[in-house]
Amino acid sequence: MRKFIKAGIVSIATVLALSGCLNNSNNSSEDGMGSQGMDHQTGQAPGSAQNQLVTNTPWIASKNTTRINTSDPVEAAILVSRTLWMATSDDNRPGSVILANPEEWQTALAAADLIHHPSNGPVLFVNQERIADSTLNELKRLNPKGVEMNNGIQVILVGNLDPKVEEQVKRLGFKTDKIEGSNPAAVAKEFDAYYAKVAQEIPSSVIVGSMDSMEYTMPAVNWISHMPEPLLYVKKDEIPQETAGALQTREGKANIYILGPESVISAQVEEQLKQYGRVVRIAGNDPFENAIAFAKYKDKGTDFGWGITTPGHNFSFVSLDSPVLALAAAPFSHLGKHAPLLWTSKDRMPDSVMSYVMSVRPKYKDSPTEGPYNHAWLTGSEDVISLAAQGEIDSMLEIVSESGEGHGGHGTASETPRPANPDGGTGGHDSHNMPGMEH
């Protein structure tokens, strides 16, 4: 990356730097959730160009992608918050902010149901015992308005946090509320009840996910950040009593969407869930295909699901090597260009992901100014999503000619194969109509 900057080559990334964004980013490291060995004056690891980039260039954009340029969950949550809630006026300040511990991923995931309503606000990360200074500074910047229909609450603390965390928030003068639970199923039930109390209605549809398989359950986070349906937890072969209790409030009329294959939620559990309502399974053979299946699914009867099978959409890419970053990126489905979650790998899109993205590639008839356009958020620095991977995603999102001719009819598009894998393969498909030829 240093070589990239020294050479002055801006072939893919337009760097958008906002100074002073994370002046206290070293504090998240002190809490055990960031890079170790940080210089407490500069906020950088000594001699580390990557950490300098995280601090000084938090956003990196190409023509079709925007990267949240950190792999620290605490910093990522702050940057997502800054991207979506500018907090320059009451119109773009959040109602309330959710504080969660990313190490309790089941709690943080289920808490996303409160992002849209009642909060209209982000999830920021804390550890069990304290809040990093950088997160406290972000709370001050956001200055949440308080949610009138939720008794003016400005900060919601979720999970099993030390009382000292709430004390830090109260010292800022914010009105707080707490949602706790003894286990993932119990806290998910509490979120369901909290939402129903504030909204004064119980959503008839629910997502049921595995409390033991983060990679299969995590795609739910973007949908529940966007829509009222909650996430409830099961084990592979068991429905916890707390989940059963939450489903019973639907009086046998629930629309239950299982997320994940039988390898993580058994056919036995699927059959048992039928006593609470209609059951549909959304699944893929691996985590990549599972996320794609959810992005494509639409229940026309209930309007549940993204149903993205045509061009003109946004996606949120997170590396499966760092799944906790999906928790920080969840609000990208709530404001701006709403986006479902897609898993990717560090250096390239897996074949299944590439095929799906290509299937919804935008095409124009006469001019690229017609649109539609695709875009993607990428969350993570180059240690989890490489620059080459960003370039591949950017290319596959580019609008191309419907006819295969170049921009303005100058020449025709060529069939450019995807770069070979190290083993000599091409990944199972060709990258047809590369935009560099058509534009």
Side-chain angles (χ1 to χ4, degrees):
M1 187 65 181
R2 182 181 298 168
K3 181 178 179 181
F4 168 76
I5 295 174
K6 286 182 177 179
I9 300 172
V10 192
S11 60
I12 184 169
T14 300
V15 180
L16 306 176
L18 299 184
S19 62
C21 172
L22 292 172
N23 290 334
N24 292 289
S25 61
N26 57 298
N27 288 287
S28 64
S29 301
E30 294 172 12
D31 288 345
M33 291 182 283
S35 303
Q36 300 300 312
M38 299 287 278
D39 185 312
H40 285 212
Q41 291 183 335
T42 65
Q44 303 168 18
S48 170
Q50 182 61 52
N51 278 286
Q52 185 176 1
L53 282 171
V54 168
T55 302
N56 295 335
T57 57
W59 293 271
I60 293 180
S62 67
K63 59 187 179 298
N64 298 308
T65 68
T66 306
R67 182 194 290 263
I68 301 299
N69 190 35
T70 177
S71 297
D72 180 333
V74 174
E75 290 182 353
I78 292 170
L79 288 176
V80 171
S81 172
R82 285 181 168 268
T83 303
L84 298 178
W85 286 275
M86 295 186 68
T88 56
S89 68
D90 282 348
D91 290 340
N92 53 30
R93 285 167 53 208
S96 59
V97 174
I98 302 160
L99 296 183
N101 181 356
E103 294 182 3
E104 297 180 3
W105 68 265
Q106 298 97 332
T107 296
L109 198 169
D113 191 39
L114 307 179
I115 287 176
H116 185 129
H117 182 84
S119 291
N120 180 31
V123 175
L124 298 179
F125 291 145
V126 302
N127 71 16
Q128 187 174 0
E129 296 182 348
R130 71 180 297 270
I131 308 173
D133 288 348
S134 55
T135 299
L136 287 172
N137 288 338
E138 178 63 3
L139 270 175
K140 295 175 187 177
R141 185 193 72 84
L142 291 169
N143 190 22
K145 296 180 289 187
V147 178
E148 183 177 350
M149 65 188 308
N150 194 25
N151 299 315
I153 294 298
Q154 295 167 286
V155 177
I156 304 174
L157 298 97
V158 302
N160 301 311
L161 302 176
D162 191 284
K164 290 183 289 187
V165 174
E166 186 174 15
E167 291 172 8
Q168 283 184 278
V169 177
K170 287 187 173 180
R171 282 200 294 270
L172 297 179
F174 295 130
K175 186 175 182 180
T176 66
D177 206 351
K178 294 189 294 185
I179 305 175
E180 301 172 302
S182 58
N183 59 67
V187 75
K189 178 185 178 183
E190 291 301 316
F191 291 134
D192 182 39
Y194 192 92
Y195 179 97
K197 179 181 178 182
V198 176
Q200 298 183 351
E201 65 176 3
I202 299 175
S204 60
S205 298
V206 303
I207 300 174
V208 168
S210 167
M211 67 172 69
D212 301 313
S213 298
M214 183 195 302
E215 65 272 23
Y216 282 99
T217 307
M218 189 63 77
V221 74
N222 285 48
W223 181 259
I224 66 175
S225 300
H226 165 62
M227 296 296 284
E229 291 84 5
L231 172 67
L232 301 175
Y233 287 120
V234 296
K235 297 182 178 181
K236 179 180 179 181
D237 296 311
E238 178 186 345
I239 302 174
Q241 62 179 2
E242 296 90 350
T243 298
L247 290 171
Q248 285 169 353
T249 63
R250 275 78 181 176
E251 299 180 339
K253 300 177 181 179
N255 298 300
I256 302 168
Y257 300 93
I258 297 174
L259 183 56
E262 291 183 11
S263 60
V264 297
I265 299 176
S266 68
Q268 173 187 339
V269 167
E270 180 178 357
E271 189 64 29
Q272 292 172 356
L273 287 170
K274 291 180 181 178
Q275 65 184 295
Y276 304 109
R278 184 175 67 100
V279 179
V280 176
R281 185 186 291 268
I282 307 166
N285 293 326
D286 59 36
F288 300 107
E289 293 183 4
N290 195 67
I292 293 167
F294 193 35
K296 293 169 67 174
Y297 180 80
K298 186 73 171 184
D299 187 331
K300 294 182 179 179
T302 63
D303 209 31
F304 173 89
W306 295 99
I308 295 179
T309 57
T310 57
H313 294 285
N314 194 36
F315 300 100
S316 179
F317 281 90
V318 174
S319 171
L320 194 55
D321 294 331
S322 299
V324 72
L325 291 175
L327 297 172
F332 283 139
S333 63
H334 167 50
L335 292 177
K337 300 181 285 289
H338 294 45
L341 171 66
L342 295 179
W343 295 123
T344 191
S345 298
K346 177 181 177 180
D347 294 317
R348 57 194 286 126
M349 282 187 283
D351 289 348
S352 57
V353 182
M354 171 70 87
S355 293
Y356 173 57
V357 174
M358 289 288 285
S359 75
V360 295
R361 193 173 192 179
K363 297 180 180 181
Y364 65 88
K365 183 177 180 180
D366 297 316
S367 167
T369 59
E370 300 168 4
Y373 305 108
N374 286 352
H375 176 268
W377 299 105
L378 281 64
T379 302
S381 50
E382 287 186 52
D383 61 328
V384 295
I385 300 179
S386 69
L387 192 65
Q390 183 175 9
E392 181 178 65
I393 293 169
D394 181 86
S395 293
M396 294 305 100
L397 296 171
E398 178 69 5
I399 191 169
V400 295
S401 172
E402 187 179 277
S403 67
E405 294 185 352
H407 187 287
H410 299 299
T412 59
S414 66
E415 300 267 330
T416 305
R418 183 178 191 171
N421 288 330
D423 62 5
T426 61
H429 50 257
D430 292 338
S431 300
H432 301 303
N433 302 329
M434 290 295 286
M437 296 300 295
E438 294 182 286
H439 263 232

